[in-house]
Amino acid sequence: MQLTVTTWNINSVRLRIDLVLRFLAEHKPDVLCLQETKCPDDAFPLKALRGSGYEHVMFAGQKGYNGVAILSRFPLHTRAVMGFCERQDARHISAVLGPEAGAAAGIVLHDFYVPAGGDVPDRDLNPKFAHKLDFLSELRAWGGKRVSGPAILVGDLNVAPLEHDVWSHKQLLDVVSHTPVETEALEVLRGEAGWIDAARHLTPEPEKIYTWWSYRSPDWSAANKGRRLDHAWVSPDLAGTVRKVEVLREARAWERPSDHAPVTLTLQL
């Protein structure tokens, strides 16, 4: 069977519910993982999403900030939420695909929203950057010993780890999301746990891949100063099943868009 899993930082699920419904109607992924839903649990637009054909939904949110959610065509089991840095700030949720998912049954889905880190890449001057580095350190401690069995990790990891994951490696070396301390931390934690970076597994460097374009750019498409902040990783036992990783760049041009584009992973199981 074919399994499609999309990750998308939606930047407010209520504000952009029409975009989510449009994406689901037009592209029909089996699973959609959202980040930055910015929605407390009691206000999550559950009815609208279930009405679009995704009856199985798990979410963890808070008012105005962060928030993650998993929508699925298949039943989801074993909801789990991890806290990092002694905070419960809705930056992770996981679920297991149920027996009804056929060959995909038992796959664990992890949806992450890593802190952005502010603007100053100095942990002593910027508490937000310190939080990001601490989060990545704790993620390394978790992932280095707990990736067993088929699993998919997706989300806005807020790091563009490789040289060709940004529009200019040299100009962004001191810009948060591409500083060496961040990129090395992400690649070390991924490598230690054995996660496979699905996009780069299929499309090695030096080809550019971007998933995010800043709102600050007056003509983001023409300037094309993007970064690859949104990722899809698979456990080693799923590496041979990866068939496609597609960035829906056109969604960045939809009315009142997120600054992130949906990224869809396709597996052949």
Side-chain angles (χ1 to χ4, degrees):
M1 66 171 284
Q2 191 174 87
L3 177 72
T4 53
V5 179
T6 298
T7 179
W8 192 7
N9 178 319
I10 194 59
N11 192 13
S12 178
V13 67
R14 288 181 291 176
L15 180 63
R16 295 185 170 84
I17 186 63
D18 290 344
L19 301 189
V20 176
L21 296 177
R22 173 180 175 179
F23 176 79
L24 293 174
E26 293 180 0
H27 297 276
K28 300 178 174 61
D30 295 311
V31 178
L32 173 61
C33 295
L34 298 173
Q35 304 88 40
E36 207 171 354
T37 56
K38 295 183 176 179
C39 180
D41 287 351
D42 60 3
F44 192 83
L46 189 58
K47 183 176 180 180
L49 294 170
R50 283 179 169 166
S52 69
Y54 291 77
E55 296 183 3
H56 310 285
V57 184
M58 292 183 177
F59 49 90
Q62 63 184 87
K63 185 177 181 180
Y65 297 94
N66 309 334
V68 286
I70 301 175
L71 290 60
S72 175
R73 293 183 176 277
F74 305 115
L76 297 170
H77 299 276
T78 322
R79 177 187 183 275
V81 175
M82 289 190 293
F84 291 83
C85 304
E86 299 183 347
R87 306 185 189 189
Q88 297 296 326
D89 54 358
R91 291 185 177 275
H92 167 266
I93 191 168
S94 68
V96 179
L97 291 172
E100 300 84 353
I107 291 179
V108 183
L109 304 166
H110 289 282
D111 183 9
F112 278 96
Y113 177 45
V114 172
D119 294 325
V120 179
D122 186 320
R123 69 175 302 133
D124 295 325
L125 299 176
N126 179 7
K128 292 182 178 179
F129 193 66
H131 178 214
K132 181 176 191 175
L133 297 182
D134 291 344
F135 190 103
L136 291 171
S137 178
E138 290 190 15
L139 184 57
R140 176 185 177 186
W142 164 77
K145 299 178 180 178
R146 290 176 174 78
V147 180
S148 60
I152 299 170
L153 185 157
V154 299
D156 176 7
L157 304 186
N158 261 315
V159 180
L162 305 179
E163 178 176 348
H164 298 280
D165 290 339
V166 295
W167 64 274
S168 174
H169 173 62
K170 290 183 178 179
Q171 293 186 63
L172 271 69
L173 277 172
D174 60 353
V175 174
V176 174
S177 80
H178 193 60
T179 66
V181 67
E182 296 169 85
T183 60
E184 291 168 12
L186 191 71
E187 283 296 274
V188 166
L189 74 85
R190 184 186 63 78
E192 284 183 348
W195 292 107
I196 306 300
D197 179 347
R200 287 305 184 189
H201 180 69
L202 296 178
T203 309
E205 292 194 291
E207 185 168 336
K208 297 280 192 182
I209 306 175
Y210 307 144
T211 67
W212 174 91
W213 294 263
S214 175
Y215 286 134
R216 297 175 185 176
S217 177
D219 190 346
W220 69 271
S221 184
N224 200 30
K225 293 184 175 182
R227 305 178 204 176
R228 185 171 73 106
L229 303 180
D230 305 272
H231 298 265
W233 298 351
V234 298
S235 55
D237 48 358
L238 291 178
T241 71
V242 176
R243 294 294 178 266
K244 289 188 291 186
V245 178
E246 298 175 290
V247 180
L248 189 66
R249 179 188 167 108
E250 67 186 65
R252 179 61 180 81
W254 290 353
E255 187 175 357
R256 299 182 73 187
S258 170
D259 45 359
H260 296 255
V263 179
T264 299
L265 166 71
T266 301
L267 306 181
Q268 187 66 46
L269 300 168

